[in-house]
Amino acid sequence: MIIFRLFIISVLTIIAYFFLTQFFFCTQYTFKSSTSFKGKTLYNPYDSLRSGNWLKCNFHAHANAWKGITNGKGTAEEIHHAYDSLHYDVHCISNYHSIDSTSINSQIYIPAYEHGYNISKTHQLVLGDKKVCWLDYILPQTLSNKQDVLNYLATDTQSLVILNHPKIRNGYRCQDFSYLSNYHCMEVLNPAGNSFLQWDAALSAGKPIFIVGDDDLHNIISKDRLGRMCTYVNVKERNQHQVLHALKKGRGFGVIIGPTQHPDSIPMLNYLVLKKDTIQLQMNTKASTISFTGQNGQILASFSQTANAKYVIREKDHYARASIDYPNGTSIYLNPVFYTNSTNLAQTAVYPNIRTTLIYRTIGFSFAGFWLFGVFVFIQGKRTIYITLPFNPDSMLKKRFKKRNKPTLLT
């Protein structure tokens, strides 16, 4: 019986620990609703393109790791070989909470791992960091939980944080993007589900967040997701620093690769320039449709059967991003041109709320104290619990009774 009691209390204590850690001991933040892009100038992520310096990338793929506990089939070597055969310039192994170093001697090695072990798949992809962050909150996360994790992941300013597949299991809700900060990109393109609503929610909240497309490969043996999505980045030099810098500045685009698309002839962006308030873009291949999307995902303009498009962006548009579709199923999604007063792409700062955090933690410690006392009582079972007092209450009551009922002498 005592073994059963210990087992039950151990399970319940673990549950209580995760519950208290997530909802009472996590730092609480003060969030201010963001505003749409505004300013007197327009930011163009493609203002300094180098036509021959495009790199084809996949940042999200899983190999066998943790002795097969996590979802990944095949070796890292097999994955690198497969992407080499498709002429990718950059291909990362992003195992869960593990940085793979198989290709550390390659020309463009980028350390990567997927962060997150919570039930809602609120995951992040971390590129360029040298160590793994283990902090996470297992239950469906509050806004403060999500911000706390992002703050820890962004501690190394040289690394880059991407929100992975935000659509899956509603890991990130559209309303979250009005408040969350401290991340750089969003994995909008993923074979498990594309997240355009979430991306437009972030952009409509004035967040300079840029697109990434990945295969999110889990089985290199079946190759079921191999070569379906990719990201192109434009760099000055072929190295890790330049790739991460290009992603942070939006100097890239995401691609859904059509089923009959030859991997070496994916359509490319020739240029995107601004002439005052007019966006002019040109692709190297005629598209079936080129469209512009603005605030709240509204379609601003659309052009058919052309490789060129122009759009006059207005202040009420706040931003304009181009989508280019081809008959074979290939689609290209460019990063937005948007209004701003700054060129450093600073996001709205989110600060800890010290008072609320202290209140929550005080309540948490109180619950923890009650829980420990309850654990003690539960283990004791039906045994009588004796509490030794530093005085004898019976003798004190007798003295008080005698004193109170002492007879009065009449004279």
Side-chain angles (χ1 to χ4, degrees), residues 169-184:
R169 294 190 193 176
N170 208 23
Y172 288 98
R173 299 171 299 171
C174 285
Q175 55 264 40
D176 292 344
F177 299 110
S178 293
Y179 307 99
L180 292 177
S181 186
N182 235 359
Y183 64 101
H184 307 94

mmCIF file with all atom_site columns, all heavy atoms in Angstrom, residues 169-184:
data_model
loop_
_atom_site.group_PDB
_atom_site.id
_atom_site.type_symbol
_atom_site.label_atom_id
_atom_site.label_alt_id
_atom_site.label_comp_id
_atom_site.label_asym_id
_atom_site.label_entity_id
_atom_site.label_seq_id
_atom_site.pdbx_PDB_ins_code
_atom_site.Cartn_x
_atom_site.Cartn_y
_atom_site.Cartn_z
_atom_site.occupancy
_atom_site.B_iso_or_equiv
_atom_site.pdbx_formal_charge
_atom_site.auth_seq_id
_atom_site.auth_comp_id
_atom_site.auth_asym_id
_atom_site.auth_atom_id
_atom_site.pdbx_PDB_model_num
ATOM 1   N N   . ARG A 1 169 ? -1.801 22.845 -34.613 1.00 0.00 ? 169 ARG A N   1
ATOM 2   C CA  . ARG A 1 169 ? -2.393 22.760 -33.271 1.00 0.00 ? 169 ARG A CA  1
ATOM 3   C C   . ARG A 1 169 ? -2.648 24.132 -32.648 1.00 0.00 ? 169 ARG A C   1
ATOM 4   O O   . ARG A 1 169 ? -2.696 24.266 -31.433 1.00 0.00 ? 169 ARG A O   1
ATOM 5   C CB  . ARG A 1 169 ? -1.516 21.923 -32.331 1.00 0.00 ? 169 ARG A CB  1
ATOM 6   C CG  . ARG A 1 169 ? -1.411 20.457 -32.717 1.00 0.00 ? 169 ARG A CG  1
ATOM 7   C CD  . ARG A 1 169 ? -0.734 19.666 -31.614 1.00 0.00 ? 169 ARG A CD  1
ATOM 8   N NE  . ARG A 1 169 ? -0.363 18.344 -32.076 1.00 0.00 ? 169 ARG A NE  1
ATOM 9   C CZ  . ARG A 1 169 ? 0.309  17.450 -31.351 1.00 0.00 ? 169 ARG A CZ  1
ATOM 10  N NH1 . ARG A 1 169 ? 0.677  17.766 -30.116 1.00 0.00 ? 169 ARG A NH1 1
ATOM 11  N NH2 . ARG A 1 169 ? 0.617  16.273 -31.845 1.00 0.00 ? 169 ARG A NH2 1
ATOM 12  N N   . ASN A 1 170 ? -2.738 25.136 -33.506 1.00 0.00 ? 170 ASN A N   1
ATOM 13  C CA  . ASN A 1 170 ? -2.978 26.500 -33.013 1.00 0.00 ? 170 ASN A CA  1
ATOM 14  C C   . ASN A 1 170 ? -1.909 26.895 -31.997 1.00 0.00 ? 170 ASN A C   1
ATOM 15  O O   . ASN A 1 170 ? -2.190 27.584 -30.994 1.00 0.00 ? 170 ASN A O   1
ATOM 16  C CB  . ASN A 1 170 ? -4.367 26.595 -32.374 1.00 0.00 ? 170 ASN A CB  1
ATOM 17  C CG  . ASN A 1 170 ? -4.953 27.992 -32.449 1.00 0.00 ? 170 ASN A CG  1
ATOM 18  O OD1 . ASN A 1 170 ? -4.561 28.781 -33.304 1.00 0.00 ? 170 ASN A OD1 1
ATOM 19  N ND2 . ASN A 1 170 ? -5.883 28.297 -31.566 1.00 0.00 ? 170 ASN A ND2 1
ATOM 20  N N   . GLY A 1 171 ? -0.659 26.459 -32.268 1.00 0.00 ? 171 GLY A N   1
ATOM 21  C CA  . GLY A 1 171 ? 0.444  26.741 -31.349 1.00 0.00 ? 171 GLY A CA  1
ATOM 22  C C   . GLY A 1 171 ? 0.637  28.221 -31.117 1.00 0.00 ? 171 GLY A C   1
ATOM 23  O O   . GLY A 1 171 ? 0.999  28.651 -30.013 1.00 0.00 ? 171 GLY A O   1
ATOM 24  N N   . TYR A 1 172 ? 0.430  29.000 -32.146 1.00 0.00 ? 172 TYR A N   1
ATOM 25  C CA  . TYR A 1 172 ? 0.403  30.463 -32.029 1.00 0.00 ? 172 TYR A CA  1
ATOM 26  C C   . TYR A 1 172 ? -0.916 30.938 -32.611 1.00 0.00 ? 172 TYR A C   1
ATOM 27  O O   . TYR A 1 172 ? -1.242 30.632 -33.760 1.00 0.00 ? 172 TYR A O   1
ATOM 28  C CB  . TYR A 1 172 ? 1.566  31.104 -32.783 1.00 0.00 ? 172 TYR A CB  1
ATOM 29  C CG  . TYR A 1 172 ? 2.903  30.919 -32.132 1.00 0.00 ? 172 TYR A CG  1
ATOM 30  C CD1 . TYR A 1 172 ? 3.773  29.918 -32.557 1.00 0.00 ? 172 TYR A CD1 1
ATOM 31  C CD2 . TYR A 1 172 ? 3.323  31.754 -31.092 1.00 0.00 ? 172 TYR A CD2 1
ATOM 32  C CE1 . TYR A 1 172 ? 5.011  29.744 -31.961 1.00 0.00 ? 172 TYR A CE1 1
ATOM 33  C CE2 . TYR A 1 172 ? 4.561  31.595 -30.498 1.00 0.00 ? 172 TYR A CE2 1
ATOM 34  C CZ  . TYR A 1 172 ? 5.398  30.585 -30.930 1.00 0.00 ? 172 TYR A CZ  1
ATOM 35  O OH  . TYR A 1 172 ? 6.614  30.421 -30.337 1.00 0.00 ? 172 TYR A OH  1
ATOM 36  N N   . ARG A 1 173 ? -1.681 31.675 -31.834 1.00 0.00 ? 173 ARG A N   1
ATOM 37  C CA  . ARG A 1 173 ? -2.947 32.216 -32.317 1.00 0.00 ? 173 ARG A CA  1
ATOM 38  C C   . ARG A 1 173 ? -2.710 33.556 -33.019 1.00 0.00 ? 173 ARG A C   1
ATOM 39  O O   . ARG A 1 173 ? -1.757 34.268 -32.694 1.00 0.00 ? 173 ARG A O   1
ATOM 40  C CB  . ARG A 1 173 ? -3.909 32.393 -31.150 1.00 0.00 ? 173 ARG A CB  1
ATOM 41  C CG  . ARG A 1 173 ? -4.254 31.101 -30.426 1.00 0.00 ? 173 ARG A CG  1
ATOM 42  C CD  . ARG A 1 173 ? -5.031 31.385 -29.151 1.00 0.00 ? 173 ARG A CD  1
ATOM 43  N NE  . ARG A 1 173 ? -4.251 32.197 -28.229 1.00 0.00 ? 173 ARG A NE  1
ATOM 44  C CZ  . ARG A 1 173 ? -4.728 32.734 -27.122 1.00 0.00 ? 173 ARG A CZ  1
ATOM 45  N NH1 . ARG A 1 173 ? -5.997 32.552 -26.803 1.00 0.00 ? 173 ARG A NH1 1
ATOM 46  N NH2 . ARG A 1 173 ? -3.957 33.465 -26.338 1.00 0.00 ? 173 ARG A NH2 1
ATOM 47  N N   . CYS A 1 174 ? -3.592 33.885 -33.942 1.00 0.00 ? 174 CYS A N   1
ATOM 48  C CA  . CYS A 1 174 ? -3.408 35.125 -34.706 1.00 0.00 ? 174 CYS A CA  1
ATOM 49  C C   . CYS A 1 174 ? -3.333 36.344 -33.791 1.00 0.00 ? 174 CYS A C   1
ATOM 50  O O   . CYS A 1 174 ? -2.544 37.262 -34.029 1.00 0.00 ? 174 CYS A O   1
ATOM 51  C CB  . CYS A 1 174 ? -4.537 35.282 -35.722 1.00 0.00 ? 174 CYS A CB  1
ATOM 52  S SG  . CYS A 1 174 ? -4.385 34.200 -37.170 1.00 0.00 ? 174 CYS A SG  1
ATOM 53  N N   . GLN A 1 175 ? -4.112 36.348 -32.715 1.00 0.00 ? 175 GLN A N   1
ATOM 54  C CA  . GLN A 1 175 ? -4.094 37.505 -31.815 1.00 0.00 ? 175 GLN A CA  1
ATOM 55  C C   . GLN A 1 175 ? -2.789 37.619 -31.041 1.00 0.00 ? 175 GLN A C   1
ATOM 56  O O   . GLN A 1 175 ? -2.453 38.707 -30.535 1.00 0.00 ? 175 GLN A O   1
ATOM 57  C CB  . GLN A 1 175 ? -5.281 37.462 -30.845 1.00 0.00 ? 175 GLN A CB  1
ATOM 58  C CG  . GLN A 1 175 ? -5.409 36.189 -30.033 1.00 0.00 ? 175 GLN A CG  1
ATOM 59  C CD  . GLN A 1 175 ? -6.374 35.205 -30.666 1.00 0.00 ? 175 GLN A CD  1
ATOM 60  O OE1 . GLN A 1 175 ? -6.394 35.051 -31.886 1.00 0.00 ? 175 GLN A OE1 1
ATOM 61  N NE2 . GLN A 1 175 ? -7.172 34.545 -29.842 1.00 0.00 ? 175 GLN A NE2 1
ATOM 62  N N   . ASP A 1 176 ? -2.033 36.519 -30.934 1.00 0.00 ? 176 ASP A N   1
ATOM 63  C CA  . ASP A 1 176 ? -0.737 36.573 -30.239 1.00 0.00 ? 176 ASP A CA  1
ATOM 64  C C   . ASP A 1 176 ? 0.220  37.555 -30.907 1.00 0.00 ? 176 ASP A C   1
ATOM 65  O O   . ASP A 1 176 ? 1.058  38.178 -30.241 1.00 0.00 ? 176 ASP A O   1
ATOM 66  C CB  . ASP A 1 176 ? -0.077 35.189 -30.214 1.00 0.00 ? 176 ASP A CB  1
ATOM 67  C CG  . ASP A 1 176 ? -0.826 34.197 -29.344 1.00 0.00 ? 176 ASP A CG  1
ATOM 68  O OD1 . ASP A 1 176 ? -1.669 34.630 -28.535 1.00 0.00 ? 176 ASP A OD1 1
ATOM 69  O OD2 . ASP A 1 176 ? -0.570 32.991 -29.476 1.00 0.00 ? 176 ASP A OD2 1
ATOM 70  N N   . PHE A 1 177 ? 0.115  37.686 -32.212 1.00 0.00 ? 177 PHE A N   1
ATOM 71  C CA  . PHE A 1 177 ? 1.117  38.443 -32.960 1.00 0.00 ? 177 PHE A CA  1
ATOM 72  C C   . PHE A 1 177 ? 0.977  39.955 -32.798 1.00 0.00 ? 177 PHE A C   1
ATOM 73  O O   . PHE A 1 177 ? 1.848  40.704 -33.241 1.00 0.00 ? 177 PHE A O   1
ATOM 74  C CB  . PHE A 1 177 ? 1.081  38.038 -34.430 1.00 0.00 ? 177 PHE A CB  1
ATOM 75  C CG  . PHE A 1 177 ? 1.386  36.577 -34.621 1.00 0.00 ? 177 PHE A CG  1
ATOM 76  C CD1 . PHE A 1 177 ? 0.401  35.690 -35.025 1.00 0.00 ? 177 PHE A CD1 1
ATOM 77  C CD2 . PHE A 1 177 ? 2.646  36.078 -34.349 1.00 0.00 ? 177 PHE A CD2 1
ATOM 78  C CE1 . PHE A 1 177 ? 0.676  34.341 -35.172 1.00 0.00 ? 177 PHE A CE1 1
ATOM 79  C CE2 . PHE A 1 177 ? 2.930  34.735 -34.490 1.00 0.00 ? 177 PHE A CE2 1
ATOM 80  C CZ  . PHE A 1 177 ? 1.942  33.863 -34.906 1.00 0.00 ? 177 PHE A CZ  1
ATOM 81  N N   . SER A 1 178 ? -0.101 40.386 -32.156 1.00 0.00 ? 178 SER A N   1
ATOM 82  C CA  . SER A 1 178 ? -0.206 41.806 -31.822 1.00 0.00 ? 178 SER A CA  1
ATOM 83  C C   . SER A 1 178 ? 0.695  42.165 -30.648 1.00 0.00 ? 178 SER A C   1
ATOM 84  O O   . SER A 1 178 ? 0.949  43.342 -30.401 1.00 0.00 ? 178 SER A O   1
ATOM 85  C CB  . SER A 1 178 ? -1.656 42.162 -31.471 1.00 0.00 ? 178 SER A CB  1
ATOM 86  O OG  . SER A 1 178 ? -2.483 42.050 -32.598 1.00 0.00 ? 178 SER A OG  1
ATOM 87  N N   . TYR A 1 179 ? 1.189  41.144 -29.933 1.00 0.00 ? 179 TYR A N   1
ATOM 88  C CA  . TYR A 1 179 ? 1.919  41.392 -28.690 1.00 0.00 ? 179 TYR A CA  1
ATOM 89  C C   . TYR A 1 179 ? 3.323  40.795 -28.659 1.00 0.00 ? 179 TYR A C   1
ATOM 90  O O   . TYR A 1 179 ? 4.244  41.416 -28.136 1.00 0.00 ? 179 TYR A O   1
ATOM 91  C CB  . TYR A 1 179 ? 1.114  40.830 -27.515 1.00 0.00 ? 179 TYR A CB  1
ATOM 92  C CG  . TYR A 1 179 ? -0.311 41.318 -27.464 1.00 0.00 ? 179 TYR A CG  1
ATOM 93  C CD1 . TYR A 1 179 ? -1.364 40.535 -27.949 1.00 0.00 ? 179 TYR A CD1 1
ATOM 94  C CD2 . TYR A 1 179 ? -0.617 42.565 -26.949 1.00 0.00 ? 179 TYR A CD2 1
ATOM 95  C CE1 . TYR A 1 179 ? -2.679 40.981 -27.906 1.00 0.00 ? 179 TYR A CE1 1
ATOM 96  C CE2 . TYR A 1 179 ? -1.929 43.030 -26.901 1.00 0.00 ? 179 TYR A CE2 1
ATOM 97  C CZ  . TYR A 1 179 ? -2.954 42.226 -27.385 1.00 0.00 ? 179 TYR A CZ  1
ATOM 98  O OH  . TYR A 1 179 ? -4.241 42.683 -27.355 1.00 0.00 ? 179 TYR A OH  1
ATOM 99  N N   . LEU A 1 180 ? 3.505  39.605 -29.202 1.00 0.00 ? 180 LEU A N   1
ATOM 100 C CA  . LEU A 1 180 ? 4.786  38.912 -29.070 1.00 0.00 ? 180 LEU A CA  1
ATOM 101 C C   . LEU A 1 180 ? 5.909  39.649 -29.784 1.00 0.00 ? 180 LEU A C   1
ATOM 102 O O   . LEU A 1 180 ? 5.715  40.265 -30.835 1.00 0.00 ? 180 LEU A O   1
ATOM 103 C CB  . LEU A 1 180 ? 4.675  37.484 -29.618 1.00 0.00 ? 180 LEU A CB  1
ATOM 104 C CG  . LEU A 1 180 ? 3.789  36.524 -28.824 1.00 0.00 ? 180 LEU A CG  1
ATOM 105 C CD1 . LEU A 1 180 ? 3.712  35.177 -29.528 1.00 0.00 ? 180 LEU A CD1 1
ATOM 106 C CD2 . LEU A 1 180 ? 4.291  36.352 -27.398 1.00 0.00 ? 180 LEU A CD2 1
ATOM 107 N N   . SER A 1 181 ? 7.107  39.545 -29.216 1.00 0.00 ? 181 SER A N   1
ATOM 108 C CA  . SER A 1 181 ? 8.271  40.210 -29.772 1.00 0.00 ? 181 SER A CA  1
ATOM 109 C C   . SER A 1 181 ? 9.489  39.310 -29.587 1.00 0.00 ? 181 SER A C   1
ATOM 110 O O   . SER A 1 181 ? 9.414  38.233 -29.002 1.00 0.00 ? 181 SER A O   1
ATOM 111 C CB  . SER A 1 181 ? 8.468  41.552 -29.058 1.00 0.00 ? 181 SER A CB  1
ATOM 112 O OG  . SER A 1 181 ? 9.509  42.294 -29.644 1.00 0.00 ? 181 SER A OG  1
ATOM 113 N N   . ASN A 1 182 ? 10.629 39.748 -30.127 1.00 0.00 ? 182 ASN A N   1
ATOM 114 C CA  . ASN A 1 182 ? 11.906 39.073 -29.930 1.00 0.00 ? 182 ASN A CA  1
ATOM 115 C C   . ASN A 1 182 ? 12.076 37.807 -30.775 1.00 0.00 ? 182 ASN A C   1
ATOM 116 O O   . ASN A 1 182 ? 12.644 36.816 -30.326 1.00 0.00 ? 182 ASN A O   1
ATOM 117 C CB  . ASN A 1 182 ? 12.142 38.746 -28.454 1.00 0.00 ? 182 ASN A CB  1
ATOM 118 C CG  . ASN A 1 182 ? 13.456 39.317 -27.950 1.00 0.00 ? 182 ASN A CG  1
ATOM 119 O OD1 . ASN A 1 182 ? 14.200 39.941 -28.711 1.00 0.00 ? 182 ASN A OD1 1
ATOM 120 N ND2 . ASN A 1 182 ? 13.754 39.106 -26.690 1.00 0.00 ? 182 ASN A ND2 1
ATOM 121 N N   . TYR A 1 183 ? 11.564 37.837 -31.994 1.00 0.00 ? 183 TYR A N   1
ATOM 122 C CA  . TYR A 1 183 ? 11.830 36.780 -32.965 1.00 0.00 ? 183 TYR A CA  1
ATOM 123 C C   . TYR A 1 183 ? 11.982 37.450 -34.325 1.00 0.00 ? 183 TYR A C   1
ATOM 124 O O   . TYR A 1 183 ? 11.611 38.599 -34.503 1.00 0.00 ? 183 TYR A O   1
ATOM 125 C CB  . TYR A 1 183 ? 10.729 35.720 -32.967 1.00 0.00 ? 183 TYR A CB  1
ATOM 126 C CG  . TYR A 1 183 ? 9.366  36.227 -33.403 1.00 0.00 ? 183 TYR A CG  1
ATOM 127 C CD1 . TYR A 1 183 ? 8.883  35.992 -34.693 1.00 0.00 ? 183 TYR A CD1 1
ATOM 128 C CD2 . TYR A 1 183 ? 8.556  36.937 -32.526 1.00 0.00 ? 183 TYR A CD2 1
ATOM 129 C CE1 . TYR A 1 183 ? 7.644  36.450 -35.089 1.00 0.00 ? 183 TYR A CE1 1
ATOM 130 C CE2 . TYR A 1 183 ? 7.313  37.407 -32.917 1.00 0.00 ? 183 TYR A CE2 1
ATOM 131 C CZ  . TYR A 1 183 ? 6.859  37.159 -34.196 1.00 0.00 ? 183 TYR A CZ  1
ATOM 132 O OH  . TYR A 1 183 ? 5.626  37.621 -34.595 1.00 0.00 ? 183 TYR A OH  1
ATOM 133 N N   . HIS A 1 184 ? 12.544 36.734 -35.287 1.00 0.00 ? 184 HIS A N   1
ATOM 134 C CA  . HIS A 1 184 ? 12.924 37.365 -36.551 1.00 0.00 ? 184 HIS A CA  1
ATOM 135 C C   . HIS A 1 184 ? 12.091 36.916 -37.754 1.00 0.00 ? 184 HIS A C   1
ATOM 136 O O   . HIS A 1 184 ? 11.779 37.720 -38.619 1.00 0.00 ? 184 HIS A O   1
ATOM 137 C CB  . HIS A 1 184 ? 14.401 37.081 -36.866 1.00 0.00 ? 184 HIS A CB  1
ATOM 138 C CG  . HIS A 1 184 ? 15.328 37.439 -35.752 1.00 0.00 ? 184 HIS A CG  1
ATOM 139 N ND1 . HIS A 1 184 ? 15.739 36.527 -34.813 1.00 0.00 ? 184 HIS A ND1 1
ATOM 140 C CD2 . HIS A 1 184 ? 15.915 38.602 -35.426 1.00 0.00 ? 184 HIS A CD2 1
ATOM 141 C CE1 . HIS A 1 184 ? 16.558 37.113 -33.950 1.00 0.00 ? 184 HIS A CE1 1
ATOM 142 N NE2 . HIS A 1 184 ? 16.668 38.379 -34.290 1.00 0.00 ? 184 HIS A NE2 1
#
